[in-house]
Amino acid sequence: MSDSAGTPDTRPRMIVDCDPGHDDAVALIVAAHVADVRGIVTVGGNADLERTTHNALVMRDLIGIDAPVHRGCGHPIVAKPHHAPSVHGESGLDGADLPTPVTPLDGTDGVGFIIDTCRAEEGLWLVPTGPLTNIGLALRQAPDIAERIAGVSLMGGGSFGNRSAVAEFNIWADPHAAAIVFETFEHAPGSLVMAGLDVTHRFQVTPERIDATRALPGQLAEILTGLFEFFSGTYLTRHDDGSMRGAALHDPLAVLAVTHPDLFSRRRRHVAVETTGDLTAGMTVIDERKLLERQAPNCDVLTDVDSEAAFDIVLDAIRASDPRIR
Ligand code: BDR
Ligand code: CA
């Protein structure tokens, strides 16, 4: 792709599959700045599908990009749908007065859009920041796309949980879809990258970072300040050990893992998803054994991030997205 001046866009190409959600909204802002966003697909997760799709359309307008937005799946493959109003509010994006979207939805078959786009162009990244329903179904319906993509960089999982003692929300919400994705990369040539809670809890919206956002000019910065205050508020009231100085800004790390891999430490491991356990459904089982009989690695497990550098990119992306500054 080229810009209006005919300069080729060499940024990584990606489809962001999301359930906005405060941190999904930031992932979209960051992706629009550092990547070539070929499409946005929505999934039910933080809120129901109608709300997450509405929120994706709001964000597309605010960011001012023309990437198509396609509605995906509202129901997990097997599990019942569950949302996260205690974290993101009933709307999925509580905390700011958001404008009404003015650009229409581009399609209602998000899974088909993923399949068609991956068949039309090789080397795309799929970047899911919500439950993996759309990605899992796309890989199941069109296994050939696994040979064509650069990889999947997802936010989810980790060595501890937030929705249960051992399960992170995105994996827990649709463990069967997640299992398809992780099993695919036991054979697929591309990369599977997991930005799980181990790394995302190291990337927090601290009071200083909210102040830095507030200090930026423009409508998007004002909206983001409200969203950050709400999101951090829910984290601070829901944690009791002093480990959180604000919300964990999970989802943009799945984008930055593609565009700025040097910001991260990682371990190459085999990861499987537990789909059935009464206590453990949705757990990402990371094989840390030193024994030779361990399974071959299928995943880059992110373990740490240069959070100052990563948040500087978030601030740059907010600045760059404001039409009055562009
Ligand atoms: C994940 O769940 C949602 O609350 C966030 O948007 C993030 O994708 C963190 O567990
Ligand atoms: Ca999300």
Side-chain angles (χ1 to χ4, degrees):
M1 286 295 118
S2 305
D3 65 17
S4 52
T7 314
D9 191 341
T10 54
R11 299 174 299 175
R13 288 166 291 127
M14 59 177 63
I15 294 174
V16 181
D17 186 298
C18 55
D19 62 336
H22 296 70
D23 50 337
D24 302 81
V26 179
L28 289 172
I29 294 168
V30 170
H33 185 51
V34 297
D36 180 359
V37 181
R38 315 292 296 142
I40 298 166
V41 181
T42 58
V43 66
N46 288 326
D48 64 31
L49 183 64
E50 197 182 325
R51 289 182 168 111
T52 59
T53 304
H54 173 91
N55 294 342
L57 291 170
V58 171
M59 291 314 302
R60 174 175 66 177
D61 286 354
L62 282 171
I63 300 166
I65 52 170
D66 56 10
V69 176
H70 290 258
R71 188 169 68 213
C73 297
H75 287 256
I77 295 177
V78 177
K80 292 202 178 85
H82 287 282
H83 309 305
S86 62
V87 183
H88 298 274
E90 287 297 333
S91 74
L93 271 185
D94 277 14
D97 281 334
L98 297 172
T100 305
V102 292
T103 52
L105 189 64
D106 295 273
T108 56
D109 176 14
V111 173
F113 171 77
I114 292 169
I115 294 171
D116 292 347
T117 310
C118 292
R119 282 181 173 159
E121 50 176 311
E122 238 170 314
L124 278 176
W125 279 92
L126 301 179
V127 180
T129 61
L132 289 154
T133 315
N134 297 323
I135 308 289
L137 286 174
L139 288 168
R140 195 168 75 178
Q141 287 172 26
D144 55 290
I145 68 172
E147 309 290 320
R148 301 181 56 77
I149 56 177
V152 173
S153 178
L154 63 90
M155 189 283 133
S159 65
F160 60 95
N162 59 6
R163 193 55 179 76
S164 76
V166 294
E168 179 281 329
F169 176 78
N170 289 341
I171 308 295
W172 173 88
D174 195 342
H176 299 86
I180 293 170
V181 174
F182 283 84
E183 283 165 18
T184 295
F185 283 90
E186 290 175 355
H187 311 288
S191 307
L192 175 61
V193 183
M194 178 171 103
L197 297 178
D198 305 79
V199 66
T200 65
H201 274 221
R202 294 170 180 262
F203 189 42
Q204 299 179 11
V205 189
T206 60
E208 296 78 14
R209 289 176 179 159
I210 296 179
D211 287 345
T213 307
R214 188 181 294 107
L216 294 176
Q219 182 195 19
L220 192 62
E222 192 181 326
I223 286 174
L224 259 291
T225 303
L227 293 177
F228 281 157
E229 282 173 339
F230 181 91
F231 193 34
S232 276
T234 66
Y235 266 75
L236 292 175
T237 52
R238 294 174 68 251
H239 286 81
D240 67 358
D241 71 341
S243 64
M244 306 304 288
R245 296 194 60 235
L249 196 52
H250 311 275
D251 293 341
L253 295 188
V255 175
L256 291 175
V258 173
T259 59
H260 294 73
D262 294 347
L263 294 182
F264 296 88
S265 317
R266 67 194 67 222
R267 290 206 287 265
R268 185 102 193 113
R269 292 289 182 269
H270 184 272
V271 180
V273 177
E274 177 59 81
T275 54
T276 57
D278 285 344
L279 298 175
T280 54
M283 177 180 184
T284 45
V285 180
I286 305 169
D287 195 340
E288 296 285 1
R289 289 179 295 176
K290 307 286 183 273
L291 291 166
L292 290 175
E293 67 247 38
R294 67 184 178 270
Q295 278 185 269
N298 60 346
C299 183
D300 282 352
V301 178
L302 303 182
T303 54
D304 202 359
V305 59
D306 179 341
S307 66
E308 285 303 322
F311 201 79
D312 282 347
I313 298 171
V314 171
L315 294 174
D316 283 346
I318 296 170
R319 216 180 272 119
S321 292
D322 194 287
R324 280 173 291 189
I325 300 167
R326 269 202 295 268

